[in-house]
Amino acid sequence: MAGGGVQQVVAVLAVVALMVTVVEGFISKKKWSTIRQVDRDGPFVGLVAPNAYEMKPVLDSPDFKPSNNIPILDVQGRRFRFGTIGGQNVVMVMTGLSMLNAGLTTQLLLSLFRVKGIVHWGIAGNANEDLQIGDVTIPESWAHLSLWNWQRHGDGAENRVPLEIAGDYTREYGFLHFSNYTVGLANPELSANTLNSVWYQPEEIFPISATPEKRQHAFWVPVSKRYYKLAGKLEGLELPACVNATTCLPRAPRVTRVPRGCSANIYTDNASYRQFIRSHFGCTPVEMESAAVALVAHQHGVPFITIRSLSDLAGGGSSLSNEAGTFLDIAAKNAVDVMLKFVPLLGRGGAQADGPGEDM
């Protein structure tokens, strides 16, 4: 073959190799082969933890038995751990802090593996003064509270927000008016605030059962009715009340189902805002991940539930030491203890990750 012909063949082979690499994407063929292999043990209950200190008690528990086949699989910056809890096949992953990390990780979990349901757990701030630090809450619905339409100064509740007519934004879910929290509110001139108001917005969602690119909206996302009912069996569970020999809670923590939990990309340590979201939205646990997990699971038609243990009264005001660090360990352990008791209740049946099922 002439030199020019050889060069042409080499060039064609290089292009083909490049095309194969592009088609293969960021997950190699070898990794995909391992994913398919581990997925034979499915369907799994997906266990989603926000941070390492909320996952470590699970890894240390004798209730979690790592898989003898492939116990760990790292994919795109996330580590998936496989095993069983109470005879239930599970895949566990840590998201990291924030709505973005929680949403990305949950989407990756559902895209890679056959997941029949999701159980999310961790600690949370408390907006409900009737409950105590250490109590474990299981909300019936979740909302994301950091998607806002920030209204211009001078406009009021009677004025439309930008793009409201087009259906992009709404005034349905109410607003936070900053002037209501100005010191010296009795003097209208001094209490005026150019920050004006923020209006809370629902998320745009695109369920897999609906038409692609045709948006729907969701503000309150309900957990699985079946999961929520099963969680009622844990309301009498005994939980530890002491961090150590000298630091104890006034009473033993309780497991309680509550109507609503709220998430945002905000660490809430402000009493006024805590009181506002409690009175306006009825939030009990307030944290930074659960609504993202809920929104992704909801769009996939996969049943889910969240278990959140209260580590502090958001913004202070409790008679207890209110630093989250004081009761973080016991709060994290309580959430894990409840999760470990809940997962075996799911049994070996349940909905598959290919659309809505009975568990929803």
Side-chain angles (χ1 to χ4, degrees), residues 20-39:
V20 170
T21 302
V22 171
V23 171
E24 190 173 295
F26 292 103
I27 300 178
S28 68
K29 287 183 177 180
K30 182 178 180 181
K31 187 76 72 176
W32 273 119
S33 176
T34 306
I35 291 169
R36 287 192 293 270
Q37 181 182 348
V38 75
D39 213 25

Side-chain angles (χ1 to χ4, degrees), residues 232-295:
K233 296 182 177 182
L234 303 177
E235 290 189 319
L237 187 65
E238 293 185 9
L239 297 169
C242 295
V243 177
N244 51 46
T246 59
T247 306
C248 292
L249 296 163
R251 62 164 172 78
R254 301 167 182 159
V255 179
T256 180
R257 292 179 298 171
V258 298
R260 292 175 170 180
C262 300
S263 305
N265 277 321
I266 303 166
Y267 185 94
T268 303
D269 193 27
N270 181 278
S272 291
Y273 190 64
R274 175 194 81 220
Q275 292 161 0
F276 168 77
I277 60 176
R278 175 63 184 169
S279 63
H280 190 78
F281 295 111
C283 310
T284 292
V286 290
E287 39 80 287
M288 303 173 70
E289 294 87 21
S290 293
V293 176
L295 283 158

Side-chain angles (χ1 to χ4, degrees), residues 206-354:
F206 299 87
I208 63 170
S209 58
T211 304
E213 298 182 353
K214 187 174 182 180
R215 69 182 177 184
Q216 299 179 22
H217 288 93
F219 191 79
W220 291 109
V221 181
V223 305
S224 160
K225 291 180 181 179
R226 174 175 172 258
Y227 286 17
Y228 191 70
K229 183 178 180 180
L230 285 173
K233 296 182 177 182
L234 303 177
E235 290 189 319
L237 187 65
E238 293 185 9
L239 297 169
C242 295
V243 177
N244 51 46
T246 59
T247 306
C248 292
L249 296 163
R251 62 164 172 78
R254 301 167 182 159
V255 179
T256 180
R257 292 179 298 171
V258 298
R260 292 175 170 180
C262 300
S263 305
N265 277 321
I266 303 166
Y267 185 94
T268 303
D269 193 27
N270 181 278
S272 291
Y273 190 64
R274 175 194 81 220
Q275 292 161 0
F276 168 77
I277 60 176
R278 175 63 184 169
S279 63
H280 190 78
F281 295 111
C283 310
T284 292
V286 290
E287 39 80 287
M288 303 173 70
E289 294 87 21
S290 293
V293 176
L295 283 158
V296 174
H298 177 69
Q299 291 179 80
H300 281 265
V302 174
F304 74 95
I305 198 166
T306 290
I307 297 164
R308 286 283 183 165
S309 182
L310 307 177
S311 62
D312 62 289
L313 181 63
S318 169
S319 59
L320 300 171
S321 169
N322 202 57
E323 295 302 318
T326 303
F327 294 102
L328 184 148
D329 288 345
I330 193 170
K333 186 178 186 305
N334 285 352
V336 168
D337 286 351
V338 174
M339 183 276 288
L340 291 172
K341 294 294 185 183
F342 177 78
V343 169
L345 297 178
L346 296 177
R348 299 195 59 86
Q352 303 297 312
D354 56 1

Side-chain angles (χ1 to χ4, degrees), residues 127-175:
N128 182 351
E129 296 183 23
D130 293 333
L131 298 182
Q132 175 190 271
I133 291 172
D135 285 347
V136 178
T137 63
I138 304 174
E140 190 171 14
S141 296
W142 284 90
H144 173 207
L145 299 187
S146 55
L147 184 57
W148 295 347
N149 186 307
W150 206 314
Q151 198 169 30
R152 72 174 59 182
H153 178 54
D155 285 354
E158 70 281 1
N159 299 113
R160 288 194 180 102
V161 294
L163 303 179
E164 182 176 343
I165 294 177
D168 294 331
Y169 298 101
T170 180
R171 286 173 290 161
E172 180 180 352
Y173 300 99
F175 63 95

